[in-house]
Every structure is written in structure tokens, then in C-alpha cells.
Amino acid sequence: MTVQWILNGLLSTVLLLLLSHGGGRVSGQQATPIVVIDGLGTVQGTRGRTAWTDREIYKFYNVRYAEAPVGQQRFRNPVPARPWSGVYNAAAPGRPCPQIGLNVTNDVAPEDCLTLSVFTANPTGSSPVMVYIHGGAFVMGSASDYEPDYLLEKNIVLVVLQYRLGPLGFLSTGTANIPGNVGMLDIILALEWVSQNIRFFGGDSTLVTVFGESAGGAAVSALLYSPLVRNGLFQRAIVQSGSIFSPWATCRSPKDGAMDIARRVNCDRPVEAMEDCLRAVPARRLMEAYEEHKNTQFGITGYPDVSGACIVIGEASPFMPKHPKTIARSSIRSMELMAGTTSQEGLMFWEGVYRYGLSYKPDTMETSWDLLQLIDTINERFGASSNDGAHMWHQIFDTFQTTELDRVNYTELLPGLVDICGNLAIKAPVLQDITRYSRANPGKVFLYSFDYSGISSMYNFSASEDFQYPYPNNSFHAEDLFYLFPLGQRLNEPDSEMAKMMVDLWTSFASSGKPSATRLNISWDPVANFYGPYLKINNGCSVNNNYFDEFTASTERVRQQRSEASFFILSKTIALIAILLGVIKTLL
């Protein structure tokens, strides 16, 4: 043991001497890449290769940016990582933050998860930096899911960070002891780490783009409005399929939800004693209590009253003192922004309503009155109910044809239900961000709709015997991620071409503030008004002028499929009749 310790110490000393002449950066000639981070310590990573050109890259996993939020630090602001001695092994992914079904044990070790991964092709350069915030409803996900094999085909540095999830990151009792939003403070601290240290990995801290999808997109959106985010922390942002305006992203009654969760873990007592009790509850049980709370509350009132994994507005947390809808135009940041959605966003959210938000199966609808009740319930679950019904009437007559309303066939109406859920959960909220930022930053905001459907499909992960969507060629929620990260899928040639174009668009925006791609033969113009123009991303991309067409994307797609099928049948019928007439003519 003593001899090994001495050898390790000598090795560290030699490595430090070798690196001292390189400005703290890896030379590229070593068997394994090593970086010295001034003021923190030395990290040793591993080497990798990109997917398409076999380019050599350097990978540094599981680098700590904050101390473990355990014991009395649970539910509290993150503390910056302290310096370490020796060489830190960053050659393999670390543990994800605690989440159901993955790694939650009954000890405190899994909560030591505030780490990030850095991927670079040129540690001695000064490349644009892209920082990714993973999605997962603020309750699941990890940095290890997002490898750099596609994005590092381009000259960027990629950072993927982790933050506290579920009640460990977002529970709020409305007091300074458990204020909520600490998961968002984790993200801000990680961005500060990037600002201070990314130069040691070949990144330019003055060219940082933060991007995220779903809950990660909502987190990026929230950062745009938070007064705790200092100017210059990042320069550009990409919001994918999420927004602070999404009804699931914020809490309407955070304290009520915290009390319900506390009751479920036997911590139902006066506030101060309740908070001490919650700090002692095993992480697994706390997560389970949140899931119980969520499933129960969603079935009663809906997303706005689910607490424990959502951003708190006001209260004791300084992260978001007031709702972004109240922020004046003059207070909007100067920022280059790209934002967009997938065509069938609502498939995942309709599945949630179908499974957990209804007391009956909508497949049994018999009259248009049943459809009316169903859409009223959908609006209630997303917090969009109004007593006058104006919103609901608009949804019904903008989505369905009167003949469809009269027939009341569930399978026929299903695409419209998907559209309504997607509009409430994602599309309309993202448009809120676009509207605010394009008005304050003319010429700097870009909008897209991802419409491509490849071999891989996120729908395959949720389809089951009791939930089926019978229509093909959909772009499900998070489908765009298949073409930015290698998520275990195999890409055929068209998929690979789409991935290369997506990588071009995302990295060119990070580099220049304007998305472009060699495979894009049209100009993607910035948003000029509150509805467009926008880029529709598919095999053949197009620039469309009215994003509100995307509010009925599922419905129109299925109608087109039906029309094409009817035309095919009609053509076959006509051809058959022509053959029969020919036969008859011959016989006569």
C-alpha cells in the first residue's frame, strides 16, 4: 500500500512537470489525455473517435463542478468543487443523479453526482463551446447518455452536465431551508465552471451556446429570464421542445405539493421539523413519494398542481422572482436564439393523459358530447381551462372537420387529440419564447419544426398493447436527438444524411449565430413576426411562413395519408374497370 502510494505520487509529479510547459493543456502525444485545471487539479481522460470521419477526440467524464449535496446540504445551494490532489480519473462515465429505476439506493452516495463531461478534439485550441442540458421531465436522465461522436465532427467543444433531479433538485417548502430550484442553481454553477475552466480543454468561454431538449429545453428557456444568470455567462441558446411557459415546467402550488410528499414519507409535522425529517429520508423513498404524488395529482387536477420536479416562481428562491410573462421587452436579454419542436410532440403527452389523466378509456366515445367532455378534461390537465369555453371551441373547430365530429370515431379523432396535447405542452409555449426574443432581438432568432421520421423512433419506447398510434411516419417528442447524439441507434444512409445536416445546423449556429448546412439548399431566415418564417426540417427542407400550421401537423399528415390511400385504391379500381371493359369489348 505504501509503495503504491509513493509510486502514484511520483507519477503525478512527473506528469505535472511535463505539463507545466504546455500552459496546463494536454500535448496530444500522451497515451491518455491529461489536463491541468489551474486552481482545481489534474484530470486524466480517454481517447475516442467520431462516427463519420474517425476523427480522434478526447473525452473527460465525471469531472466534479460542485461538492456532494448530502447531509445538511441536501435541498440547498450547490457549493463549488474544492481542489483535489493527484490525478483524477475522468476516463469513464460517473453515476447519474438519483432517479427511479436506475441507481437509487438507501445510502447517500448516489447524491454525489454534480459532475460534467467535456469532449474536445483540440485541447490547445480556442473553439466554440456547446453545453448540453439533458431532458427527462426533471426526474431522469444523465450525462452518460449523450456522447460526442456526431457533434465533434465539427470544431466545437461539447460539455454535458448533470443536475439534481426530482424532489432532490426542485422540492420547495417555501422557506430558505428548502427554497426549491436548486437543480437550476446546479446548472448555473456548472456554467460558471465552464466559463472559468473550459480554456484548459480548448474552449472559448466567450463563445458558449447552451442547449437542451424537453426539460432541458425548459431549463435553457428559464435561464434566459433568470436574474441570477449574469450577462456573458453564455452568448447563444437553443431551446428544443421545452419552455418555461410549458405547464409542466413550473409549479402552481409548490408548498402544497411538498406537504403531500412529506406526508407520504411520514414527515408531516411543523415546517422546521418537517425539513429536518426530509433531509434524512432515503433518496429512493423520496423519489417514490414524488411519483405517487405526481400520478395522484395529475389524475385529479393536472400538471400545474404537480410539485417536486418543477421550477418554482417567486417564493423563497431567487432564481425566478416573477413569471417571465411579466418581464418587459426592455428587460429581455440580448441573445441569439434558436428554438423549435417536433411534429408529433403531443404523442407522448396524449399517452400521459390516456394512461393517468382520465377515469375512463376514450376509445368508447359514442357522441360529440363525449368528445367535448374529453377536450375539456385535456385542457384542465394542462391548466388551460376557462369558464367561457372560447379556447376549447377554437381547438375543436380548428382541429376537426364537422364530418369527423359527427362520426365520433376514436381512431379518426386521435391525431387531433395528439395535436391538442402537443400544442398545450410544447408548441404554444415555445412560440412564447420565440415571440418575446424575436421582438427584442430582431434578426437573431430562428424557429424550426423537425418533421423527419427515420428508422429509429422514440415512439417505439412507449408503444404497448394498451396504447397504440396506428399512423406511420411520425416525428415523436425527442426524435431530433437521434440525429445529434448516438443514442444506441443504427442510422441508414438517409438517417446519416439527416444527422450530418442537423450537426451542421446546430454547430454553425453555435459558431456564428446563424444556422447553415451544406445539405440545406435554401436560406433559413430569422423570425420576422410572431408566426414565422420557420424551417421545416425533413428530407426536403422548406421555409414556411406560418408556424400555426404546425398546430394541426398530425391531423393534416393523417388526412394526407388517407387521401393518398384513397387515390391509390381509386386508381387501382379505375385500372381494373378499364381491363374489364377491354375484356368485354373483345368478347363482343
Side-chain angles (χ1 to χ4, degrees):
M1 179 78 71
T2 303
V3 173
Q4 186 63 48
W5 180 83
I6 293 171
L7 289 174
N8 288 341
L10 288 172
L11 176 61
S12 299
T13 303
V14 171
L15 289 172
L16 288 171
L17 288 172
L18 288 172
L19 292 168
S20 63
H21 298 290
R25 297 184 176 92
V26 62
S27 71
Q29 300 301 314
Q30 299 148 333
T32 55
I34 295 176
V35 165
V36 177
I37 308 172
D38 285 352
L40 282 179
T42 304
V43 293
Q44 178 177 314
T46 188
R47 293 172 186 258
R49 296 280 177 176
T50 58
W52 304 317
T53 64
D54 201 37
R55 184 189 197 190
E56 185 175 58
I57 56 177
Y58 305 98
K59 302 180 177 184
F60 299 87
Y61 295 102
N62 199 35
V63 180
R64 186 193 298 270
Y65 69 83
E67 292 299 309
V70 298
Q72 288 302 305
Q73 278 302 118
R74 181 188 271 190
F75 306 126
R76 289 184 173 163
N77 295 1
V79 175
R82 293 189 294 268
W84 59 86
S85 59
V87 179
Y88 180 80
N89 184 1
R95 65 165 63 92
C97 285
Q99 51 198 278
I100 290 291
L102 192 57
N103 69 334
V104 182
T105 61
N106 287 327
D107 61 17
V108 297
E111 295 182 52
D112 184 6
C113 64
L114 298 186
T115 63
L116 49 79
S117 298
V118 184
F119 308 108
T120 180
N122 181 14
T124 61
S126 185
S127 301
V129 181
M130 299 185 71
V131 181
Y132 185 69
I133 304 174
H134 70 75
F138 291 125
V139 295
M140 57 186 175
S142 69
S144 62
D145 296 332
Y146 302 95
E147 289 284 331
D149 304 35
Y150 299 168
L151 288 169
L152 256 68
E153 290 284 0
K154 301 299 179 179
N155 293 322
I156 60 117
V157 173
L158 175 65
V159 178
V160 185
L161 60 86
Q162 297 190 153
Y163 54 100
R164 279 172 282 181
L165 301 171
L168 293 172
F170 295 91
L171 189 74
S172 172
T173 58
T175 71
N177 287 326
I178 307 182
N181 296 335
V182 293
M184 293 304 304
L185 300 187
D186 294 342
I187 292 172
I188 293 176
L189 183 60
L191 287 169
E192 291 287 1
W193 188 99
V194 169
S195 180
Q196 295 166 18
N197 301 306
I198 203 62
R199 69 186 187 277
F200 301 114
F201 298 86
D204 184 348
S205 62
T206 67
L207 279 178
V208 175
T209 298
V210 59
F211 69 125
E213 187 274 337
S214 194
V220 173
S221 170
L223 292 172
L224 296 175
Y225 302 99
S226 173
L228 296 188
V229 175
R230 63 174 176 82
N231 290 331
L233 188 58
F234 55 90
Q235 291 69 43
R236 297 177 182 126
I238 304 175
V239 173
Q240 299 175 229
S241 301
S243 171
I244 186 65
F245 295 98
S246 294
W248 46 266
T250 58
C251 315
R252 183 162 61 189
S253 308
K255 288 184 284 189
D256 291 344
M259 291 296 294
D260 184 41
I261 292 171
R263 178 181 58 79
R264 295 173 186 274
V265 294
N266 298 319
C267 291
D268 188 10
R269 56 197 71 176
V271 173
E272 194 169 319
M274 178 183 72
E275 292 170 342
D276 289 339
C277 179
L278 287 169
R279 281 196 174 83
V281 174
R284 178 193 293 273
R285 182 64 196 114
L286 200 59
M287 295 287 181
E288 290 171 345
Y290 162 75
E291 289 292 321
E292 295 163 7
H293 159 74
K294 178 191 71 175
N295 292 336
T296 300
Q297 197 62 51
F298 182 73
I300 298 172
T301 56
Y303 280 116
D305 291 317
V306 175
S307 302
C310 45
I311 295 170
V312 175
I313 307 293
E315 302 290 339
S317 170
F319 174 75
M320 193 69 67
K322 57 184 180 179
H323 199 283
K325 68 183 178 183
T326 67
I327 295 177
R329 176 186 175 188
S330 59
S331 299
I332 297 290
R333 298 174 188 272
S334 175
M335 182 73 60
E336 291 164 323
L337 175 65
M338 188 166 84
T341 61
T342 66
S343 288
Q344 278 66 56
E345 295 282 8
L347 255 173
M348 184 182 75
F349 292 92
W350 165 246
E351 181 184 3
V353 172
Y354 182 90
R355 291 185 187 279
Y356 307 111
L358 301 173
S359 58
Y360 60 94
K361 292 297 183 186
D363 322 44
T364 59
M365 283 190 300
E366 295 180 352
T367 70
S368 55
W369 298 105
D370 296 330
L371 176 63
L372 182 67
Q373 179 186 358
L374 174 60
I375 293 177
D376 189 37
T377 302
I378 290 172
N379 279 293
E380 183 180 76
R381 295 296 177 263
F382 287 93
S385 297
S386 61
N387 293 329
D388 59 17
H391 184 61
M392 182 173 61
W393 299 127
H394 177 76
Q395 288 172 324
I396 290 173
F397 289 104
D398 189 56
T399 305
F400 305 105
Q401 297 173 346
T402 53
T403 52
E404 293 170 341
L405 295 174
D406 291 338
R407 283 192 292 266
V408 199
N409 179 283
Y410 170 75
T411 303
E412 186 179 30
L413 297 172
L414 185 52
L417 300 175
V418 167
D419 279 331
I420 290 172
C421 289
N423 298 338
L424 291 169
I426 301 288
K427 293 186 179 182
V430 167
L431 201 55
Q432 290 274 34
D433 282 317
I434 285 290
T435 300
R436 281 163 171 74
Y437 265 79
S438 61
R439 188 174 178 220
N441 295 275
K444 295 182 178 181
V445 177
F446 297 86
L447 176 63
Y448 70 86
S449 174
F450 186 81
D451 202 39
Y452 182 75
S453 178
I455 289 180
S456 300
S457 172
M458 287 293 182
Y459 174 66
N460 294 337
F461 292 101
S462 64
S464 61
E465 290 185 4
D466 66 330
F467 181 80
Q468 293 289 327
Y469 189 71
Y471 305 104
N473 303 323
N474 299 287
S475 186
F476 195 70
H477 181 70
E479 201 95 336
D480 48 344
L481 294 183
F482 281 125
Y483 308 97
L484 294 171
F485 300 98
L487 301 179
Q489 77 279 20
R490 288 183 176 271
L491 303 181
N492 61 16
E493 186 174 346
D495 291 349
S496 294
E497 290 301 304
M498 175 56 63
K500 290 172 183 177
M501 184 175 72
M502 289 287 284
V503 166
D504 277 350
L505 292 172
W506 261 240
T507 57
S508 62
F509 177 79
S511 300
S512 68
K514 182 173 174 58
S516 61
T518 55
R519 294 164 183 80
L520 186 66
N521 56 8
I522 53 178
S523 177
W524 182 358
D525 296 323
V527 171
N529 48 55
F530 65 86
Y531 50 84
Y534 70 101
L535 180 69
K536 196 172 182 73
I537 301 174
N538 208 327
N539 281 323
C541 294
S542 62
V543 173
N544 297 357
N545 290 318
N546 189 355
Y547 178 78
F548 290 108
D549 290 340
E550 299 303 318
F551 279 38
T552 54
S554 305
T555 306
E556 294 303 326
R557 172 172 289 185
V558 170
R559 284 177 185 153
Q560 183 179 354
Q561 290 171 353
R562 288 177 182 146
S563 176
E564 290 171 351
S566 298
F567 180 77
F568 178 77
I569 293 171
L570 179 61
S571 299
K572 287 286 187 180
T573 303
I574 292 173
L576 180 60
I577 291 172
I579 292 170
L580 289 173
L581 288 174
V583 171
I584 293 170
K585 186 176 180 181
T586 302
L587 292 174
L588 292 175

